[in-house]
Amino acid sequence: MKNEAKENLFLRYLAERRDASLTFLAFAAVFAVSFFLYRLPLAAVLYPTLLCAAAGIVLLVLDFFRVRARHRRATLLTEPERARHAPLPTPETLGEADMQAVVAALRASAAAFEDAAAKRYADTIDYYTVWAHQIKTPISSMRLTLGGEDTPLARQLSAELSRIEQYVDMVLTYLRLDMNAGDYVFRTYAVDPLVRAAVKRFSAEFIGRRLRVEFMPSGISAVTDEKWLSFVLEQLLSNALKYTREGGVRIFSPSEKLLCIADTGIGIEKEDLPRVFEKGYTGIGGRGDAHSSGIGLYLCRRICENLGVGLSLDSTVGVGTTATLDFSQYARRGE
């Protein structure tokens, strides 16, 4: 592959120097014809022509090595980070100087655009962070009000309130997803307590809709981030509840380091399964639900990639869906 690239570069170089080579041959022909017409010995023009050709070939080879070195340096500048910040090579021609002036102008424009975008993004994060904290105050107040009642209506309102809290968390998660890894704190955690906390959050909905939940402790311990993994567990449980009309949810470990969340819901169409983790994709089942955004599973997949946890779905229409978390995918070390 490298030899092929070198050959292509050499051929391109010769093509660029074609006009100079043809000009040299034309001058040699003019001298040869002139000597012939004046009946002068052709050797007198042939000898200096060959000397000039030999000198030209040597200069051509040296020039090729110089051009190749500049080409390699320019190729390094195609890397995104270098393209934005690395110094450009010293221009050797007026054309190169003009092109570098254009590149410098584009760099300045891109830097200004990136700075403005970063500021807008930071402002958006700040706004929604404040909004999330502010909206949790009335949510807490409503939860305290409903806590004193134990009626079907109160349980239903508590379940809807939990949904609102989950959507608030989804907003913050979506916004923080592409931030640096400083928001992740990896430690060794037992997964079962996190599962229990997630189930407890939806307990009112399980009771209100008369759905059973079966949790068999897995005994799994993993190096992970508690906050982000809890979001994934809650989102998977939320999806299971959203599409389950009767039956319930079973949480179990089929083998070491695997955790499954299985529901008896409507299931996912076979043609939708390969795309359920795509951003904004709702599928046939999701299009029938006005509240489906196609964001939940996308966030779960992105977070699991950052956590080093495998995530897969298996589903049969009319039977249910099983989400599997694989905690053995990558080995991590706690902080």
Side-chain angles (χ1 to χ4, degrees), residues 13-312:
Y13 173 80
L14 289 180
E16 289 177 0
R17 298 296 186 270
R18 180 181 56 190
D19 291 344
S21 301
L22 292 175
T23 300
F24 173 78
L25 293 176
F27 285 163
V30 168
F31 279 108
V33 170
S34 300
F35 272 54
F36 175 76
L37 292 176
Y38 281 96
R39 299 182 182 279
L40 297 174
L42 289 179
V45 70
L46 184 62
Y47 180 70
T49 299
L50 291 177
L51 286 178
C52 289
I57 290 173
V58 171
L59 293 175
L60 199 68
V61 171
L62 294 175
D63 185 57
F64 170 73
F65 284 114
R66 181 185 62 81
V67 169
R68 188 180 68 173
R70 288 179 63 82
H71 173 72
R72 287 176 175 173
R73 289 196 297 271
T75 301
L76 292 176
L77 291 175
T78 58
E79 298 174 8
E81 192 61 29
R82 288 175 176 267
R84 287 194 293 266
H85 304 296
L88 299 173
T90 304
E92 294 187 353
T93 65
L94 182 60
E96 285 186 8
D98 292 338
M99 287 300 101
Q100 288 195 14
V102 173
V103 171
L106 290 174
R107 277 182 167 184
S109 176
F113 179 81
E114 287 178 0
D115 290 343
K119 186 178 183 305
R120 286 196 301 271
Y121 182 74
D123 290 343
T124 302
I125 292 289
D126 291 342
Y127 171 78
Y128 279 105
T129 300
V130 172
W131 173 82
H133 286 294
Q134 288 176 335
I135 203 171
K136 284 184 178 182
T137 300
I139 289 175
S140 299
S141 177
M142 286 186 284
R143 190 171 292 285
L144 285 172
T145 302
L146 292 171
E149 301 182 29
D150 187 17
T151 63
L153 179 59
R155 286 195 293 269
Q156 182 182 352
L157 291 175
S158 294
E160 295 302 327
L161 206 55
S162 294
R163 288 280 181 187
I164 293 173
E165 285 185 301
Q166 185 191 8
Y167 295 148
V168 171
D169 290 340
M170 282 183 66
V171 170
L172 291 176
T173 300
Y174 183 79
L175 291 172
R176 291 172 176 169
L177 193 61
D178 292 319
M179 295 176 71
N180 57 43
D183 196 38
Y184 289 83
V185 179
F186 288 95
R187 292 191 180 124
T188 302
Y189 291 97
V191 175
D192 289 340
L194 304 182
V195 175
R196 289 192 183 94
V199 172
K200 184 179 180 181
R201 183 168 184 176
F202 294 101
S203 58
E205 188 166 355
F206 276 110
I207 295 170
R209 294 174 55 189
R210 297 181 180 178
L211 297 175
R212 69 177 183 273
V213 57
E214 183 182 351
F215 173 45
M216 292 176 283
S218 64
I220 296 174
S221 291
V223 176
T224 186
D225 180 279
E226 179 183 18
K227 179 184 70 174
W228 290 95
L229 180 60
S230 294
F231 175 86
V232 172
L233 293 170
E234 289 174 6
Q235 185 60 45
L236 294 177
L237 274 173
S238 173
N239 277 6
L241 280 167
K242 185 187 297 184
Y243 298 110
T244 300
R245 303 291 178 261
E246 57 183 19
V249 177
R250 189 164 67 100
I251 306 170
F252 62 99
S253 177
S255 62
E256 187 180 6
K257 295 296 183 181
L258 292 182
L259 181 70
C260 293
I261 300 175
D263 63 59
T264 57
I266 60 175
I268 303 172
E269 297 285 345
K270 185 177 180 181
E271 57 267 32
D272 287 335
L273 268 177
R275 299 187 59 191
V276 291
F277 294 113
E278 293 180 12
K279 182 179 179 181
Y281 186 76
T282 58
I284 296 174
R287 285 191 286 271
D289 182 357
H291 302 292
S292 181
S293 62
I295 296 295
L297 286 177
Y298 164 76
L299 292 175
C300 287
R301 180 182 63 83
R302 290 286 306 276
I303 292 169
C304 283
E305 287 175 354
N306 293 338
L307 294 177
V309 176
L311 173 60
S312 60

Side-chain angles (χ1 to χ4, degrees), residues 307-320:
L307 294 177
V309 176
L311 173 60
S312 60
L313 287 183
D314 183 45
S315 186
T316 303
V317 174
V319 177

